[in-house]
Amino acid sequence: MQISFSQRQPSAQWEPLPILRIPGLSVWAWFRPANLPAGVTFAIPPELQSVYPGGFPFTVIDLLQSAGIPMEQFQSVSLFGSEWQPAAAAAGWFGQPVPPVQPGGNPEIMVAVQEMAMATPMMQVPMQIPMAQMPVQATYAAGEPDDFDDVSDADLESGTMYDRIEASWRTAIQMERQMAGLRQKLSSMVGTLGKLDRDLTPEERNAADREDRDAWHDARRWVRDLGARCHREVKAFDIGMTSAAGKRNWMEQQYNQVVKPRAATSDLDTVRREFESYRKDMVNLQKAMNAALQAANQNGTSRANRVLAVLRKKIQARRISMRQPLGGMNMDRSCRRKT
């Protein structure tokens, strides 16, 4: 019998979650993780990634139904480590098959749930879900109004202002953890691109024609540019706003001294705007890091490796034509003893 999400207790470890619509197909699920108390993280098993390299047969809707999450409670989703997208923005694709995981990418899908408040007697104060437990929508379309900018005096008196500031801070901390993983991938990519930025070997030059040499020069130009771009994003994370040189320490101090203890202050609206601005800056940095890594994979390593693969085939064909075994000595006619 399927268990609804509202009855789920926090997972102690990864649990297999069968996809109801596709018998025999399962993913891993972690209900109510520490960084997402009102949500669930789905992980794509490695065997599914190898069986379905071009995309998976299930959709985000299938994941929600299998986890017992009603559609009206679906709040937002983060696909493979990308920024959070609200349900309204994801409606155009979350009914489509889930795309493949990029090489070296994060095979996890995170879903935030808007849990319904339980019914209470009229004389009691209705229970509210703390905003700090719900990831803030981290993507805004051009010209889209920001809900955090519309705060009334009633919000301030009821403490909602503090909840919204705390939600912004918790979302920023979560993105910071994700970007720490992106930073490692970008550093590894810088090293990979550096190794590809080289001259052709003598054997590769002999096998290459003019078109191959032009393609390699073009590939090296992409490799150098994308390597520099990845390096810039690593530096932006190391010494930018997420470091001591940026606003990171000041934001944490304000959170610990003002927001967390709910200390009275006359500049609370200014503090809220600072936290919301910081969260938006984190979203932009995460987008830039993801874009740099994706471009390095598509136009850097992939482009260079395609050219080198063509040259390897030509080298092998040239060896065969010269009757030279792989790793062997030259056996063409010019080296034979005359009889």
Side-chain angles (χ1 to χ4, degrees), residues 306-323:
R306 282 196 300 268
V307 178
L308 293 177
V310 171
L311 293 178
R312 283 195 295 270
K313 290 182 180 179
K314 290 188 176 182
I315 290 172
Q316 187 175 12
R318 190 168 181 268
R319 285 174 174 173
I320 294 175
S321 67
M322 296 177 64
R323 300 174 61 186

Side-chain angles (χ1 to χ4, degrees), residues 1-243:
M1 181 178 178
Q2 185 186 18
I3 303 176
S4 66
F5 178 81
S6 60
Q7 297 175 332
R8 291 274 189 179
Q9 297 298 317
S11 300
Q13 60 185 3
W14 288 104
E15 307 175 22
L17 181 70
I19 304 298
L20 300 180
R21 189 176 62 85
I22 310 175
L25 194 65
S26 299
V27 298
W28 293 103
W30 193 300
F31 292 92
R32 305 182 185 277
N35 64 332
L36 190 61
V40 56
T41 298
F42 304 96
I44 311 297
E47 55 270 21
L48 282 187
Q49 299 180 45
S50 59
V51 173
Y52 301 103
F56 304 102
F58 53 84
T59 66
V60 173
I61 293 180
D62 292 327
L63 296 177
L64 298 178
Q65 293 176 345
S66 301
I69 301 174
M71 290 300 299
E72 60 271 16
Q73 295 184 24
F74 169 48
Q75 182 186 14
S76 56
V77 60
S78 172
L79 187 68
F80 302 146
S82 64
E83 63 272 9
W84 286 94
Q85 295 192 26
W93 59 265
F94 71 95
Q96 302 296 323
V98 174
V101 182
Q102 294 297 323
N106 180 11
E108 295 180 357
I109 301 173
M110 302 179 68
V111 171
V113 180
Q114 173 68 65
E115 296 191 89
M116 301 299 182
M118 298 178 61
T120 57
M122 292 184 63
M123 296 301 294
Q124 298 181 2
V125 178
M127 183 181 71
Q128 294 182 346
I129 301 173
M131 290 292 294
Q133 295 184 359
M134 296 184 293
V136 183
Q137 300 171 1
T139 301
Y140 297 90
E144 181 180 352
D146 188 345
D147 291 339
F148 289 109
D149 291 334
D150 184 15
V151 180
S152 64
D153 293 338
D155 287 335
L156 180 58
E157 295 174 358
S158 64
T160 303
M161 181 86 79
Y162 287 101
D163 292 335
R164 292 184 173 181
I165 295 174
E166 187 167 2
S168 292
W169 176 246
R170 289 182 178 272
T171 303
I173 293 299
Q174 181 178 347
M175 286 189 291
E176 185 177 321
R177 296 193 189 103
Q178 295 173 351
M179 285 188 287
L182 284 174
R183 189 239 185 254
Q184 295 180 350
K185 294 176 183 178
L186 286 169
S187 296
S188 177
M189 179 61 69
V190 170
T192 300
L193 294 174
K195 293 178 181 179
L196 289 172
D197 184 17
R198 62 172 177 83
D199 295 326
L200 294 176
T201 64
E203 193 172 26
E204 289 170 341
R205 284 199 301 270
N206 291 334
D209 55 23
R210 182 175 180 179
E211 183 178 349
D212 295 328
R213 288 191 291 271
D214 291 342
W216 181 244
H217 290 321
D218 185 57
R220 285 191 68 183
R221 184 169 60 252
W222 278 96
V223 164
R224 287 192 295 269
D225 292 344
L226 291 170
R229 180 179 176 183
C230 291
H231 182 72
R232 285 196 302 271
E233 297 305 331
V234 169
K235 288 297 183 183
F237 179 79
D238 288 344
I239 61 176
M241 60 185 157
T242 60
S243 68

Side-chain angles (χ1 to χ4, degrees), residues 266-284:
S266 59
D267 293 332
L268 187 59
D269 187 62
T270 301
V271 173
R272 177 191 64 81
R273 293 184 183 277
E274 287 287 346
F275 272 82
E276 179 59 17
S277 176
Y278 182 75
R279 182 187 64 81
K280 289 181 179 180
D281 289 340
M282 294 283 281
V283 170
N284 292 333

